[in-house]
Amino acid sequence: MASGSGSGEGKAGRAGAGYQQYGTGYDERQWWPWLVPTVLGACVSVFAVEMYLNDCPRHGSPLGGDARCVAGFLRQFSFQPLRENPLLGPSSATLEKMGALDWAKVVHQHQWWRLFSCIWLHAGLIHLIVNMMSLLFIGIRLEQQFGFVRIGIIYLLSGFGGSVLSALFLRNHYISVGASGALFGLLGCMLSELIMNWTIYSNKAAAITTLLFIIAINLAIGILPHADNFAHIGGFVSGFLFGFVLLARPQFGWMERHELPQTDQPPKYKTYQYVLWGAALLLLLVGYVVGLAMLFKGKNGNDGCHWCRYLNCVPSSRWKCST
């Protein structure tokens, strides 16, 4: 089961701290962050429902009678045996019932809503904690700077983009859950925001080097087994493009336009910002249309890219990618 890579996002969470080191000197009001805590609360609540419906003592495990539920004192909320789910969570059947990403159900049963519902599910308590810590570190700062509307759009549509790419390449071999695609979307928009507003940042080289290092580490972790790196990549690319569309800042001169003569009024955005905005919007539209068309026609992304499977898992003597 591709669970959205809980292991990768422990380091993704450090991005938020690194991002705050590089000031812009930009005088902009700060929004009070409520979206990120709400998303966190929703994910925790959904996980509680997962465990309630899973009811390990009652439904048991497909591994057999000798496989015992973990933390039995939690009764109905106890976890599946570690051999079945080492992340301390429910069974795959429960996740599938609650809306996990399943290629066959999306394509053949037209359950398109799974492309969104899987973002709110988590494969286990460890998966949930790592993802939510990452969300707090990355999301709070972004929401304070840009508001809940823009960050909410990036979060949801990046998660959706990650789900589409995951379904195209993983197909019917796995189910996938987790907020990883959405979180990588926030990492992606941090990078594009830095590029989009390049002229107002100090310490540019240090900022972009640190951010690229954090992104590279997280994507590298995604090539390990049980991690859905296609969701990571799809979410990152979506967030990267949405950052150009939604996170442009006006130039300094425009902020002081009221103090300038009417004949010297500067434009709100620089030319390169308009160019990046238009190119990113076009790529987003084309990418979503082509990706969804391929998905609902039942196309297999691996047919046109035989090496792409190594983006998700690189086999070695210590593990197999087919497990």
Side-chain angles (χ1 to χ4, degrees):
M1 178 182 66
S3 61
S5 185
S7 59
E9 281 141 6
K11 296 185 179 179
R14 300 177 189 174
Y19 188 61
Q20 296 176 45
Q21 296 173 5
Y22 308 104
T24 64
Y26 194 81
D27 185 15
E28 185 180 83
R29 70 187 180 94
Q30 297 284 299
W31 279 267
W32 179 261
W34 63 266
L35 175 68
V36 168
T38 300
V39 170
L40 187 151
C43 288
V44 172
S45 299
V46 169
F47 183 72
V49 174
E50 288 177 33
M51 298 312 305
Y52 177 82
L53 295 177
N54 185 69
D55 196 355
C56 180
R58 179 181 178 185
H59 297 130
S61 169
L63 298 178
D66 60 333
R68 296 183 178 179
C69 301
V70 178
F73 63 90
L74 295 176
R75 303 191 179 221
Q76 191 167 352
F77 293 91
S78 58
F79 310 113
Q80 293 297 114
L82 291 179
R83 285 187 294 161
E84 180 184 351
N85 188 342
L87 295 176
L88 299 177
S91 65
S92 297
T94 298
L95 292 171
E96 189 171 359
K97 184 187 301 182
M98 288 195 64
L101 181 61
D102 184 314
W103 177 85
K105 286 182 167 55
V106 171
V107 175
H108 298 306
Q109 299 182 28
H110 307 294
Q111 296 180 5
W112 58 267
W113 48 269
R114 289 180 179 269
L115 296 169
F116 285 102
S117 61
C118 66
I119 302 171
W120 304 94
L121 299 171
H122 286 84
L125 183 62
I126 297 173
H127 189 201
L128 175 71
I129 291 174
V130 173
N131 273 0
M132 294 303 99
M133 289 298 293
S134 301
L135 175 63
L136 286 175
F137 277 116
I138 301 171
I140 290 289
R141 180 66 173 175
L142 285 171
E143 187 180 353
Q144 285 176 332
Q145 289 190 333
F146 297 102
F148 73 93
V149 174
R150 286 183 283 182
I151 298 307
I153 290 172
I154 292 173
Y155 183 85
L156 289 175
L157 292 184
S158 294
F160 176 74
S163 297
V164 171
L165 194 66
S166 176
L168 279 173
F169 284 91
L170 292 184
R171 289 176 64 88
N172 56 344
H173 300 296
Y174 302 91
I175 63 172
S176 180
V177 296
S180 302
L183 291 169
F184 268 80
L186 296 183
L187 278 175
C189 79
M190 287 169 63
L191 179 60
S192 56
E193 190 271 329
L194 179 61
I195 297 171
M196 188 68 158
N197 305 309
W198 186 254
T199 58
I200 68 173
Y201 273 93
S202 58
N203 300 322
K204 300 179 180 68
I208 199 165
T209 300
T210 301
L211 191 52
L212 286 174
F213 176 76
I214 292 168
I215 292 167
I217 289 293
N218 281 276
L219 290 175
I221 290 174
I223 65 176
L224 298 174
H226 307 296
D228 186 356
N229 216 26
F230 288 120
H232 298 172
I233 294 169
F236 175 80
V237 173
S238 297
F240 181 70
L241 295 175
F242 272 114
F244 288 122
V245 175
L246 296 176
L247 303 185
R249 298 180 191 265
Q251 58 180 309
F252 283 124
W254 184 84
M255 300 294 292
E256 301 168 352
R257 65 192 183 280
H258 299 298
E259 302 175 8
L260 299 174
Q262 189 65 31
T263 55
D264 295 333
Q265 291 291 308
K268 185 174 183 179
Y269 298 107
K270 293 182 178 293
T271 302
Y272 81 90
Q273 291 177 302
Y274 284 111
V275 172
L276 289 173
W277 183 89
L281 184 60
L282 178 62
L283 288 172
L284 277 170
L285 292 174
V286 171
Y288 277 122
V289 169
V290 172
L292 288 171
M294 290 179 62
L295 176 60
F296 287 107
K297 287 182 178 179
K299 300 291 185 180
N300 187 342
N302 294 291
D303 292 339
C305 182
H306 299 292
W307 57 267
C308 283
R309 65 182 183 273
Y310 296 114
L311 294 174
N312 189 58
C313 180
V314 176
S316 76
S317 59
R318 294 181 177 273
W319 62 72
K320 296 180 180 180
C321 291
S322 58
T323 58

